[in-house]
Amino acid sequence: MSAAGLGIIAFLCVVAGMVAGILLRKALPDHHLSGDSRDAVKMGAGLIATLSALVLGLLISSAKDSFDAMNNAITEGSANLIVLDRILAQYGPPTQDIRDELRCSMIRTATMIWPEREDDKKMIAFEESPITMELVATKVRELSPQNDMQKVFQSEAIGICRDLLQTRWLVIERAQLSLPMAFIVVLLFWLTMLFGTFGLLAPSNKTAIAALTVCALSVGGAIFLIEEMNRPLGGMVKVSNAPLLKAIEYLGK
């Protein structure tokens, strides 16, 4: 399910709870919403609000960690690309084809993850793209060093290729992460019940209903942002492409 769809479902659930609370308020006798009964409902609402806040905080923290980890992986991988290119440049002219291929591969990767045009979205997924880094690593291993210095450069380049391969698959695996559905279902249930008590206790006037509707929009927006940050390579909220674009500027030069 998309992040926008999940956010809309969350909004509709809490609004439905609010409306149910308002209708229940009109149906119940007055003595059910006065004195001790009202205090008991408030205590229950306070408990649900605390639980909901804890789960929301946990989900936000998890989503932020996932987003930051992906951003760090992209930044670290981009830096390693520059280092690999400079090492290959120091090796000598025999590596020029490898450097050109590496640059073209990174341009394709940037276009897949951060498409500039709507048509680019039809390109194959990043994880299904040709595994160019494996080919680059193979070509680096096939180099024939002519002196000790070139042997050192080749050894360093092979190590960086290994790190880049690990980073690439780490990015792919992290892109598969998603919100635990059990958390979302339980959280929506709690929020629906909470807004039900809001509707039950709040006065039935336009100001109160408008305020609760804004709160419902905020809840839906929070769920939307959590799901978006859990998908840092897709959707509206993506990791920055600046590190990779900066690396591409230096590759092959």
Side-chain angles (χ1 to χ4, degrees):
M1 182 181 297
S2 67
L6 194 57
I8 292 173
I9 289 176
F11 170 73
L12 294 177
C13 284
V14 294
V15 167
M18 177 186 69
V19 172
I22 293 174
L23 295 177
L24 184 60
R25 175 187 178 88
K26 295 179 178 179
L28 289 175
D30 292 340
H31 67 274
H32 281 272
L33 298 174
S34 60
D36 294 338
S37 297
R38 191 179 187 89
D39 292 338
V41 173
K42 287 182 178 179
M43 286 190 294
L47 174 61
I48 295 176
T50 301
L51 292 173
S52 301
L54 288 174
V55 174
L56 266 177
L58 177 63
L59 292 177
I60 291 173
S61 177
S62 175
K64 185 64 166 57
D65 289 344
S66 177
F67 188 88
D68 288 342
M70 184 67 75
N71 191 57
N72 291 336
I74 295 293
T75 302
E76 182 179 349
S78 300
N80 282 336
L81 284 170
I82 297 175
V83 174
L84 175 61
D85 181 74
R86 300 320 305 158
I87 290 175
L88 293 176
Q90 294 178 70
Y91 183 97
T95 62
Q96 187 61 48
D97 290 342
I98 301 176
R99 296 172 63 204
D100 292 339
E101 183 175 349
L102 184 63
R103 186 175 190 275
C104 292
S105 172
M106 291 305 104
I107 292 175
R108 290 195 300 269
T109 298
T111 305
M112 291 176 192
I113 302 177
W114 298 278
E116 297 180 356
R117 305 186 308 274
E118 189 67 24
D119 293 342
D120 292 337
K121 296 182 179 179
K122 298 178 181 179
M123 298 183 67
I124 56 179
F126 175 50
E127 60 269 21
E128 298 173 356
S129 63
I131 308 177
T132 307
M133 277 311 305
E134 278 85 344
L135 301 177
V136 169
T138 299
K139 290 185 177 181
V140 171
R141 294 188 184 97
E142 292 175 349
L143 290 172
S144 300
Q146 302 300 314
N147 53 58
D148 291 340
M149 186 60 68
Q150 287 187 339
K151 289 181 181 179
V152 172
F153 289 145
Q154 183 188 36
S155 177
E156 291 178 350
I158 290 174
I160 295 177
C161 285
R162 187 183 305 112
D163 292 340
L164 286 170
L165 284 171
Q166 182 178 0
T167 300
R168 180 184 183 278
W169 286 110
L170 186 62
V171 167
I172 291 173
E173 290 302 317
R174 282 177 174 164
Q176 313 307 312
L177 298 177
S178 60
L179 283 175
M181 190 52 62
F183 272 75
I184 296 298
V185 172
V186 173
L187 178 61
L188 289 182
F189 173 75
W190 287 343
L191 290 172
T192 301
M193 295 299 100
L194 182 62
F195 272 74
T197 60
F198 289 165
L200 186 65
L201 299 178
S204 301
N205 56 55
K206 294 181 179 179
T207 301
I209 293 175
L212 291 178
T213 302
V214 171
C215 292
L217 283 171
S218 300
V219 169
I223 299 297
F224 167 77
L225 288 177
I226 290 171
E227 182 65 11
E228 279 287 309
M229 285 193 296
N230 263 306
R231 301 175 182 178
L233 293 182
M236 299 174 60
V237 181
K238 286 186 178 182
V239 294
S240 174
N241 63 348
L244 186 56
L245 294 181
K246 178 58 67 174
I248 291 173
E249 291 180 11
Y250 292 103
L251 296 182
K253 296 183 179 179

